[in-house]
Every structure is written in C-alpha cells, then in structure tokens.
Amino acid sequence: MAQLRVERYGYTLRKSLADAGLEVDEGTLYPLLRRLENQGLLVSEWREENKRNKRFYRLSPDGEAILGQLLDEWQGINSSISKIVQGE
Amino acid sequence: MELLDRYLNAVRFWLPPAQQDDIIAELGDDIRTQIEEREATLGRTLDDDDVAVILKQRGHPMLMATRYLPQQSLIGPVLYPVYVMVLRIVLLWVMVPVFVLIVGPIVIATAANPTVGAIQTVWNLAMADVFSLGVITLVFAILERRPLKELANWDPRKLPTVTLMKALPDVRQPIPRATAIAELIFGIICTGVCLQAAWYLGGFNLDVVHIVLAPVWRLVYPLVLLYCVAGIPLGWVGLVWPARIRLRSVIRLAINAIGLIVIGVLAQAGILLTLTSSELSTASLADATHWTSLGVHIFLGAAAIVTFMDMAQEIRRCLTVRW
C-alpha cells in the first residue's frame, strides 16, 4: 500500500517491491490489488502507456488513513518484539 | 503470441463472466510486459519454448483463475467434523445393517439367482448411500449458510463452571459441541425420514415383491416418530447447555425407554411383514419371509443391546454427576 502513494501499474509495482527485497508472486499480487480496491483502499484507472492499455493503481483517501493505522500498529509490534528479543 | 492467447483464453474459462475482460486485459498486459523485458535482456525475440517457460511459471490456467475468486466451501471447518460423524453413522451404522439384515434377505431370497440378488442388494445399498450423502450434504450446506444465533450472541456467563469441568472425569465431561450438533442434525434427518415412512405403512414394492407391514407397525409408528423427534431437543440441550449433563441424560433415558418399548412390542408381535408376489413361488416367498423376519429380529436384538448399554451409561452419569 505504501508503494501506491505514487500511481503504478501491476508490473512496475511488482518490480519496485522486488527491488526493495519483497518478491511477490503475480498470482498473489493482482487478486490482492483487486481486493484492496473492492474495500475502497485503492482506486484504479485504465490508461494507455507505451501504446498499450494498463491499469494504474493508487491509494485512495481511505487507503491513506488505513495505511497510517497499519504502520502505527506495525511499529508497535516491531517495538514489542525488539524489547522481547533484547530481553532474552 | 499464440501461446499467450491460448493461455489467457484458458484462464478466462474459469473466471466469472462479469470480471473476465478486466482480469484478462490486466493479466495479458502483465505477461506481455514480462515477455518484452525478457526479449530486451536476451536481445532477441522469444520463441514458443521461451514463452512456454514464462507461462509455466505463472501456473496452470485454472489455478491462476482461482486466485481471483473468493474462497468458498460447501461445508466449513466448524461443521465438517460433525458432517463426517453424521455421514459415518448414517452410511455405516444405519444403512449397512438395514440392507444386510432386512433388504438383502428379501432381495436375495426372491431373486432368480442369489448371486444376482446379492449384487442387486449391494447396488441398492450404494444408491441409498449416495442419496443419503446428498441429503445430508444439503442439510449441512444450508446450516453452514445460516449460522446459529447462539454462536453470535453467546454469553460468557453461561459457559460451564471451571470447578464442574475440572472435577468431572470421563462420563461427567460437558457435552462436546460436535456431539450435540450431530444429535440435532440426526434428529432432524430421522424425523424427516420417519414422516416420509408414514406413506409406506400400508405396504410398498421392493422389486417384484409387495411387502405388507403387519398392523403392529401402525401401533408403534407414533412412538417411532416421537423417538426421532426427541433427538432434536436432545441435541439442542447439549448445544445450548453443554454443562447440564443430568438434563441431557434424563432426555436420553426417556428416548431409550421409548426405543425399548418399540423393540419390545415388535419382538412380541411375531410376524412383522408378509410378502406377496405374482411372479414368485410360494416356497420362495416363504423363504424370503423367513430370512427377512430373522434379519429384523437380529436387528431388534442388536438395537436392544445398544440401547441397554446406553441406558446403563446414562444412569451412571446421572448418579455420578454433581449438582
């Protein structure tokens, strides 16, 4: 979701995730994008690029809000796990 | 790109019509982009073998399509163990004894060739099992889509007390939820079957034989129906009040008592059915009647033993459970 603060289409999103060290299978990524869109967290638009129609995704305002909450939650969990691991 | 088009067409087949064009357009673009990128890396056009490798990595068209579909199941993980239990009881412990002890003797004794009769019995058993499987699956599929209100509106204060649960080994354990659901569903199915059986009290045909049930069946029918219907409150009590072991035991004892009365009346009656046929000799009919009566009486004897054992267990449970 954080990668979709900037508009991307599926293939470039997958590439950018892979470059960041997170390999996502396309069979997982596209259905996930659709689910997020059905939940109103993403918006998509078909547009022509390089003489071919592509579906571009970006975060919706609701998606921005949820992403903020998820990041807070993740940071909380991360902090707790760090404390637990360091405590050992 | 012929291979790619064939792949996309195969994926399209498994997709819901409303989403086919959208998903195929996006998937097609993604694969084409991957192919172009690969061509740029290799500095040549990909041949069919290269494209086949890429498509194989994507997965079988059906698997690819199912990833876009919502996860669905006819019977979910909560009800599945109960479903298997009910199937085992009906298919193994009800159908097999009925066909081996009652239907089989009639068919085999009246068939021109006993081997053919035996094969026909096995075939009839298989068909009855398939039908039962369908009905039971349908009932569970409906239940799966209509979750019990109690599961949503449960009250933690109604859960069994810890002291009761800890103090009660073996027979005094609260009723497992799976057992309660199985009893409830079994009660519903048995009631349905029993109501349908009312149409056959006057007699029915089995192959070339017309079977006339003795009047005693009309006498015990209301009790048999009561026996079946009572399974519904039995399951309900176990489901809603799993810790009320004594109440459940009392209901079970009452049901068993009804069962014993039915068994006793039938056992006393002697002749439970008569067979007639315009195509069979009197000797064949006498043989069939003998074996069928024997089968029914063995069935009643086995049922009586099981009922007595269950009653003993319930009485023990009643005596040992603490209030």
Side-chain angles (χ1 to χ4, degrees), chain A residues 37-54:
Chain A
E37 190 184 14
N38 287 338
Q39 291 166 12
L41 305 179
L42 300 180
V43 287
S44 73
E45 180 188 16
W46 282 97
R47 219 170 45 238
E48 193 176 296
E49 188 181 276
N50 297 332
K51 296 178 184 175
R52 195 183 294 155
N53 268 333
K54 294 183 185 299

Side-chain angles (χ1 to χ4, degrees), chain B:
Chain B
M1 292 291 176
E2 193 214 338
L3 263 187
L4 174 59
D5 291 335
R6 283 161 60 184
Y7 182 77
L8 293 175
N9 203 40
V11 175
R12 178 190 288 273
F13 176 81
W14 300 100
L15 293 171
Q19 297 173 31
Q20 282 178 349
D21 290 343
D22 197 46
I23 291 172
I24 291 301
E26 189 173 35
L27 181 63
D29 174 61
D30 188 71
I31 299 173
R32 282 188 192 95
T33 309
Q34 188 183 355
I35 289 171
E36 283 169 6
E37 201 168 79
R38 185 84 182 127
E39 285 176 340
T41 306
L42 296 174
R44 64 172 174 83
T45 307
L46 297 191
D47 59 21
D48 272 1
D49 291 340
D50 299 321
V51 175
V53 170
I54 290 175
L55 296 179
K56 207 158 167 53
Q57 283 171 352
R58 296 277 173 153
H60 190 280
M62 188 177 75
L63 291 178
M64 172 57 82
T66 52
R67 289 172 182 152
Y68 286 90
L69 304 175
Q71 286 192 335
Q72 292 174 312
S73 60
L74 193 61
I75 297 162
V78 175
L79 284 181
Y80 187 75
V82 188
Y83 170 69
V84 172
M85 189 197 294
V86 172
L87 274 187
R88 196 176 295 147
I89 292 169
V90 173
L91 303 189
L92 210 61
W93 298 110
V94 176
M95 288 297 184
V96 172
V98 165
F99 273 80
V100 169
L101 297 173
I102 300 171
V103 178
I106 296 175
V107 175
I108 292 169
T110 57
N113 182 335
T115 310
V116 174
I119 293 169
Q120 195 180 345
T121 303
V122 173
W123 174 253
N124 289 343
L125 171 62
M127 288 300 102
D129 275 353
V130 168
F131 179 75
S132 306
L133 177 75
V135 171
I136 294 167
T137 305
L138 185 67
V139 170
F140 273 87
I142 293 168
L143 277 178
E144 181 68 34
R145 275 139 195 86
R146 292 182 181 276
L148 293 166
K149 279 183 189 171
E150 284 64 32
L151 299 183
N153 303 326
W154 68 287
D155 184 350
R157 288 166 296 190
K158 291 181 181 173
L159 291 172
T161 57
V162 175
T163 48
L164 180 70
M165 289 179 76
K166 274 187 178 171
L168 303 177
D170 301 334
V171 295
R172 291 174 285 171
Q173 286 291 333
I175 312 307
R177 186 170 289 273
T179 304
I181 296 174
E183 284 172 344
L184 181 64
I185 292 169
F186 198 64
I188 294 169
I189 292 172
C190 283
T191 303
V193 171
C194 192
L195 287 171
Q196 201 190 359
W199 298 104
Y200 300 102
L201 283 176
F204 56 93
N205 292 323
L206 185 70
D207 202 19
V208 295
V209 180
H210 183 68
I211 298 170
V212 181
L213 297 178
V216 69
W217 287 100
R218 286 184 187 278
L219 184 71
V220 297
Y221 179 77
L223 287 175
V224 175
L225 183 60
L226 183 62
Y227 181 90
C228 295
V229 173
I232 299 172
L234 176 73
W236 186 254
V237 165
L239 194 63
V240 180
W241 301 296
R244 299 190 70 172
I245 300 157
R246 189 169 283 188
L247 173 63
R248 183 177 172 280
S249 288
V250 168
I251 297 175
R252 272 198 80 97
L253 283 170
I255 291 173
N256 284 332
I258 295 169
L260 283 180
I261 293 169
V262 171
I263 291 168
V265 172
L266 290 176
Q268 293 278 318
I271 297 169
L272 296 175
L273 46 89
T274 48
L275 309 180
T276 57
S277 175
S278 55
E279 297 180 29
L280 296 170
S281 66
T282 312
S284 293
L285 285 173
D287 257 4
T289 305
H290 169 73
W291 287 112
T292 308
S293 293
L294 186 63
V296 171
H297 281 96
I298 291 172
F299 186 80
L300 291 175
I305 292 168
V306 171
T307 306
F308 274 123
M309 285 168 66
D310 193 57
M311 285 182 94
Q313 193 183 15
E314 293 305 332
I315 290 169
R316 183 176 159 228
R317 191 171 283 170
C318 268
L319 294 175
T320 50
V321 72
R322 284 193 317 192
W323 286 94

